[in-house]
Amino acid sequence: MAGNNLQSTISVHGRTLYPTCKLLNSSKMLGFSLQSRTDRGLIVCSAVGHNTLNSDELGLRNPTRTSEILELIDQGEKTLANSGKFGRFGGIFVPETLITCLKKLEVEFNWVLHDPQFQEELSIALKDYVGRETPLYFAERLTNYYRNKNGEGPEIYLKREDLTHGGAHKINNAIAQAMLAKRMGRKSIVAATGAGQHGVATAAACAKLGLDCTIFMGSIDMQRQSSNVLLMEHTGAQVKSVAGTFKDATSEAIRSWVGNLQGSYYLAGTAVGPHPCPSMVREFQTVIGKETRKQAMEKWIGKPDVLVACVGSGSNALGLFHEFIRDEDVRLIGVEAAGYGIDSGKHSATLAKGEVGVYHGAMSYLLQDDEGQIIGPHSIGVGLEYPGVSPELSFLKDIGRAEFYAITDEEALEAYTRLCQLEGIFPALEAAHALAYLEKLCPTLASGTKVVVNCSGRGDKDAGTVFKYQHKMEGEQAQSE
């Protein structure tokens, strides 16, 4: 190893097969390879890197011109095609036994992208089963709420992913991957879910296609999202409880998949994990941004000026953003969960507070301590509780193409109530984080600016959580009086 540039910690989070590696001075890291050995039945990996290039040579400097950003995006696409990485992020950091399986999946994925029959079948499923296209809704009363005393302010539109079958954007990817799994001859689907939206979507897709379905879900999340657990079970899916939250459920789902690589299929719902999983999830979610471009042209003969989406791992944000990445005049704003506060230690603001490392098979920003051990995330929006983030969003942060901010639990709850009362729309608490950022964003925008917020899911599942919080606040207020 080169000096003190790399500090690695072998970690078996919940007995997962993947290591967590903490990188120091990682902006100077060219890349690193995994060396593995078997130790007491566990596959142990270590990261090896070296200092050979400075940050300018790696393309990690802060671009001074927007054209430089496009050049870096082009470089990133080439890197993705050659090595499964978005710049320095992503990759395949997994035991050797999984490499062949992932390579086969990549071949099948690339094939269906250009297969007219598959694309036609997917288009029909998205239209007739998922319920696409979803509306680009002008939120008139919310728009008026943010006008100044002169009646000036931005125009706010909601991309209504909450109106899809299952109530969230997750179904876009779930139905596509389930179709791909069936094409590959897989009969058993394994998935992990946090808020339950991906679980419901996967269970529904499997029921439609006649596939066995097993969903792993953290015990804590099952208590918080019990209605989604019931929906999964109603479709015939087997829901398995795992001690902990989504990160623990993900480890268990991967372990189950590894135990039956030939017969099962791991259906990723988040834009994380080893290549090609992040690319697949992003690609199957890009229908959101493609529709948004078309609908914006129909409504005002132009493009959105600003796109806003919440960020947990990144699937809904990338679904909206990716279509516009090369449109330099369109701002891309991702909103993470600040939980109890960005400096509280109880948050899920990975891009704001994380450092580069490897988790669940890929390199990205992570919430980790000085020893490289994962720090448990927190958010009132259960779907935002993940200690990592999409490699592609990590890349977009590094090159300066996207902006990222954080919203607290309290701010998200206020935004939930605001949209309910002004528009009669019940957003998921995850999406409420994006809506909450309008409080800070709108006063800075010119009048007439077109803002599109991805309403990535509906909030039926969160009504109980909101009620408990409001009841608690009312009690505290009564005591203070």
Side-chain angles (χ1 to χ4, degrees):
M1 296 191 184
N4 66 349
N5 189 51
L6 178 68
Q7 171 188 335
S8 66
T9 301
I10 305 306
S11 177
V12 187
H13 294 288
R15 303 193 314 281
T16 183
L17 296 177
Y18 302 138
T20 297
C21 302
K22 169 95 168 189
L23 307 186
L24 304 180
N25 301 324
S26 55
S27 64
K28 297 181 180 180
M29 182 68 68
L30 171 62
F32 51 97
S33 58
L34 285 183
Q35 297 178 336
S36 64
R37 60 186 175 85
T38 301
D39 185 9
R40 297 179 183 176
L42 292 174
I43 297 176
V44 181
C45 304
S46 61
V48 180
H50 52 279
N51 267 338
T52 58
L53 299 179
N54 60 41
S55 58
D56 282 351
E57 291 170 313
L58 277 171
L60 301 179
R61 62 196 181 282
N62 291 323
T64 56
R65 299 191 308 273
T66 53
S67 60
E68 287 184 332
I69 293 179
L70 294 184
E71 290 176 7
L72 293 175
I73 290 172
D74 289 337
Q75 293 174 18
E77 290 294 332
K78 292 177 182 177
T79 304
L80 178 62
N82 294 331
S83 63
K85 291 184 177 181
F86 300 90
R88 60 176 171 156
F89 300 103
I92 307 176
F93 295 87
V94 299
E96 194 170 331
T97 51
L98 288 180
I99 297 296
T100 299
C101 182
L102 290 168
K103 291 295 184 183
K104 182 178 180 180
L105 178 60
E106 182 181 10
V107 170
E108 291 287 345
F109 169 58
N110 289 330
W111 180 263
V112 300
L113 287 180
H114 303 95
D115 180 6
Q117 181 179 350
F118 182 91
Q119 291 299 321
E120 181 180 1
E121 292 174 357
L122 177 58
S123 178
I124 292 171
L126 290 173
K127 178 177 181 294
D128 295 340
Y129 186 70
V130 174
R132 307 209 69 89
E133 62 185 41
T134 60
L136 183 62
Y137 168 74
F138 176 53
E140 184 175 3
R141 293 195 68 210
L142 189 64
T143 293
N144 291 336
Y145 176 85
Y146 286 112
R147 294 192 186 281
N148 61 26
K149 60 183 180 181
N150 298 320
E152 300 171 332
E155 296 178 9
I156 301 169
Y157 293 80
L158 306 181
K159 183 57 176 164
R160 298 293 306 278
E161 293 300 293
D162 56 308
L163 296 180
T164 61
H165 176 50
H169 72 289
K170 294 293 188 180
I171 190 67
N172 303 323
N173 165 70
I175 190 66
Q177 282 206 58
M179 290 170 59
L180 174 58
K182 188 168 185 178
R183 177 192 176 105
M184 295 174 65
R186 303 294 191 265
K187 301 183 183 300
S188 176
I189 302 297
V190 176
T193 192
Q197 296 298 87
H198 176 59
V200 170
T202 300
C206 288
K208 180 186 187 311
L209 297 173
L211 300 169
D212 292 335
C213 181
T214 302
I215 306 294
F216 290 87
M217 191 171 186
S219 55
I220 296 173
D221 297 337
M222 290 182 72
Q223 294 175 3
R224 292 188 288 184
Q225 305 288 298
S226 58
S227 62
N228 278 339
V229 175
L230 290 175
L231 290 177
M232 287 181 257
E233 292 176 339
H234 288 172
T235 64
Q238 182 180 9
V239 184
K240 292 190 175 182
S241 177
V242 178
T245 58
F246 176 57
K247 66 181 179 64
D248 307 294
T250 299
S251 296
E252 196 64 33
I254 292 172
R255 188 174 301 109
S256 176
W257 171 54
V258 170
N260 182 20
L261 291 175
Q262 299 305 313
S264 65
Y265 180 98
Y266 174 63
L267 203 159
T270 58
V272 297
H275 180 73
C277 295
S279 299
M280 290 174 58
V281 173
R282 178 256 281 165
E283 184 62 34
F284 291 138
Q285 292 290 1
T286 55
V287 63
I288 301 172
K290 291 173 181 176
E291 286 182 4
T292 299
R293 183 185 290 277
K294 170 179 171 288
Q295 292 166 324
M297 185 60 66
E298 292 171 349
K299 288 181 177 293
W300 62 80
I301 316 179
K303 295 180 292 188
D305 298 303
V306 185
L307 302 177
V308 185
C310 66
V311 173
S313 62
S315 62
N316 95 90
L318 285 170
L320 180 63
F321 292 171
H322 192 262
E323 173 68 16
F324 297 92
I325 281 180
R326 295 179 181 278
D327 293 273
E328 303 170 65
D329 52 344
V330 178
R331 288 177 65 186
L332 311 178
I333 297 178
V335 184
E336 296 187 293
Y340 294 133
I342 198 68
D343 296 316
S344 67
K346 296 290 186 180
H347 60 78
S348 296
T350 306
L351 290 165
K353 286 291 190 177
E355 297 181 56
V356 178
V358 175
Y359 188 60
H360 284 154
M363 184 191 293
S364 71
Y365 281 98
L366 298 174
L367 296 177
Q368 53 188 326
D369 62 22
D370 291 338
E371 299 300 321
Q373 299 300 306
I374 292 300
I375 298 173
H378 163 77
S379 173
I380 197 167
V382 179
L384 302 183
E385 282 190 343
Y386 185 71
V389 71
S390 157
E392 187 168 2
L393 288 182
S394 298
F395 173 66
L396 293 178
K397 173 191 173 178
D398 264 20
I399 67 172
R401 178 61 186 96
E403 310 164 39
F404 298 96
Y405 305 96
I407 287 294
T408 65
D409 289 350
E410 185 173 354
E411 290 170 322
L413 285 159
E414 291 172 354
Y416 173 95
T417 301
R418 188 179 304 118
L419 192 67
C420 287
Q421 295 180 353
L422 290 178
E423 298 288 349
I425 295 172
F426 310 93
L429 282 174
E430 293 80 13
H433 284 71
L435 291 159
Y437 188 68
L438 294 174
E439 288 282 304
K440 302 174 183 178
L441 175 67
C442 289
T444 70
L445 299 177
S447 186
T449 299
K450 304 295 193 297
V451 178
V452 174
V453 181
N454 196 6
C455 190
S456 56
R458 68 175 184 240
D460 310 46
K461 66 184 181 64
D462 298 317
T465 299
V466 175
F467 176 79
K468 290 178 183 177
Y469 174 82
Q470 291 175 335
H471 183 70
K472 177 182 175 182
M473 293 299 293
E474 289 172 358
E476 291 177 352
Q477 184 176 0
Q479 288 180 355
S480 64
E481 293 175 353

